[in-house]
Amino acid sequence: MSTAKLPTRPAAGTLARLAAVAFLLVASLGAIDNIGAARAATIVIVNENAPGVGFNDPTPADPVGGNPGTTLGEQRLIAFQHAADLWEATLDSDVPIRIGASFVPLSCNITSAVLGAAGATEAWANFPGAPRTNTWYPGALAARLAGVDLTAPEDPHISASFNSLLGLTPTCVPGLTFYLGLDNNAGAQIDLVAVLLHEIAHGLGFQSFTSGDTGQTLLGRPAIWDYYLLDNRSGRTWAQMTTAQRAASARAWRGLSWNGANVTAAVPGALGPAPLLSISGGAAGDAFGRYGVGVAGFGTPLGTTAVRGELMPVVDQANGNGLACSPLNALNALAVRARVALVDRGTCDYTVKARNVQAAGAIGMIVADNVAGEVAGMPGEASDITIPSVRITRADGQRLKTALQARSRTASGVMARLAIDPERLAGADDQRRMLMYSPTAIAPGSSISHYTTEGTPNQLMEPSINADLTHEVAPPRDLTLPLLRDIGW
């Protein structure tokens, strides 16, 4: 059997997007010895920027957050080396890992931007030492397993690019820039080190070479990823499924789990209890039941002691929606006082909505999404907000609105209960396996090569770079390294 290699494209499934940015235990490690233990690998950063741009940008910069660089380019390179050092400390390979890196203009507009993209430059199969035959491995991992460099010395194993425009032009999210410090203190900015750690992980192998959009494998061979990606409804892995079955499962929300021993062993220590909304009451009708929710980065976190109250909507728009972007009028204030307020997403920050319903006397807030999709969190920081807030899908919001149609001005007969579910882990399936990202509508950059957005705390390898991420890649905080261990690192 001959060794096979193919060049790959780093963009697919590897983009970290800004659009949903910042909605932001000790592990039982008996079964995962050496996770997080110091190892040895060397990462070489190949500066691919031309003089005067990117890593070579001469724009003066003041040292920040432990980054001593005095130009924008120097600080970018120092931050990159810092992220590489963190990965070097956790990996084990006799073959230096080369990353071809650059800062270049990437897609962006005034409200959202692609932060970066990275991936393996080559996929290899049937190389000496390959654990599985006829299976694609990313170049850096293949070299580690083979014990020799399979990639030409002049070529990188990983290609990585990052947005050189972010926050620096009027057309690319003006005012929101990369934080170049090394101290994990980004505040309202985007922590570049976290972005780098995320993208480097994709290049190391946190990616599938099988299309989540079509379900097609690369030249008829599965990727090592596909042996662990489990359709948790059929019990079959992607390596066992047909093309059509894979394409369908990639769009089955909460339908895909990671079935690797290292990740599964670390999940109970890494993930917290799942947040939960329960709807009951004599008027609940078809809305009766339990709802998955996204949590807020502000307000009181949900706990075991439930916040419970009658659900009432804010209605301040002609179409019947309630945005709560301005102080509530007398009727809306009367409706939500001492109750849980239902508002719609849109127009203003989540914190503005929460502050307005809190000022009107609400004891909690539920935000119904305004676009179809899955449960997501709500970014924001506001020390003056004390009520708990959660976000539900547009479809679930419509169910609640239907149940509320028969309400009076001061009563609905629909009860809402907000609490954590101690029996379930946030981001895990019923078997306590980590859920993977499988939205009903696949968008570029948000592929099955990510963890679910429902993990609590947020995980490094979720599609977005969230404000509460640390620079840890191993348990008990993070589940990135266990997955890399599962595939062969």
Side-chain angles (χ1 to χ4, degrees), residues 17-39:
R17 284 190 167 271
L18 184 62
V21 158
F23 47 92
L24 294 181
L25 322 165
V26 177
S28 174
L29 300 182
I32 49 172
D33 293 342
N34 296 325
I35 289 291
R39 301 233 177 170

Side-chain angles (χ1 to χ4, degrees), residues 62-113:
D62 294 328
V64 57
N67 188 329
T70 56
T71 69
L72 178 58
E74 285 178 355
Q75 291 193 349
R76 287 169 169 168
L77 194 55
I78 289 170
F80 207 124
Q81 186 61 60
H82 182 72
D85 291 346
L86 293 173
W87 272 119
E88 285 180 346
T90 61
L91 300 176
D92 177 15
S93 179
D94 295 330
V95 180
I97 301 164
R98 296 183 296 279
I99 303 178
S102 61
F103 269 79
V104 295
L106 297 177
S107 175
C108 59
N109 56 45
I110 62 172
T111 60
S112 66

Side-chain angles (χ1 to χ4, degrees), residues 118-164:
T121 57
E122 295 177 345
W124 291 80
N126 299 327
F127 52 86
R132 292 181 181 272
T133 59
N134 293 321
T135 300
W136 296 116
Y137 289 80
L141 176 56
R144 189 260 180 188
L145 294 169
V148 296
D149 199 351
L150 305 173
T151 301
E154 65 274 20
D155 293 334
H157 300 99
I158 298 170
S159 179
S161 57
F162 300 89
N163 202 328
S164 61

Side-chain angles (χ1 to χ4, degrees), residues 43 190 252 276-277 295 364 468:
I43 295 178
I190 302 298
L276 182 69
L277 164 66
V295 296
D468 64 341

Side-chain angles (χ1 to χ4, degrees), residues 124 238 352 397 464:
W124 291 80
W238 265 30
V352 174
S464 297

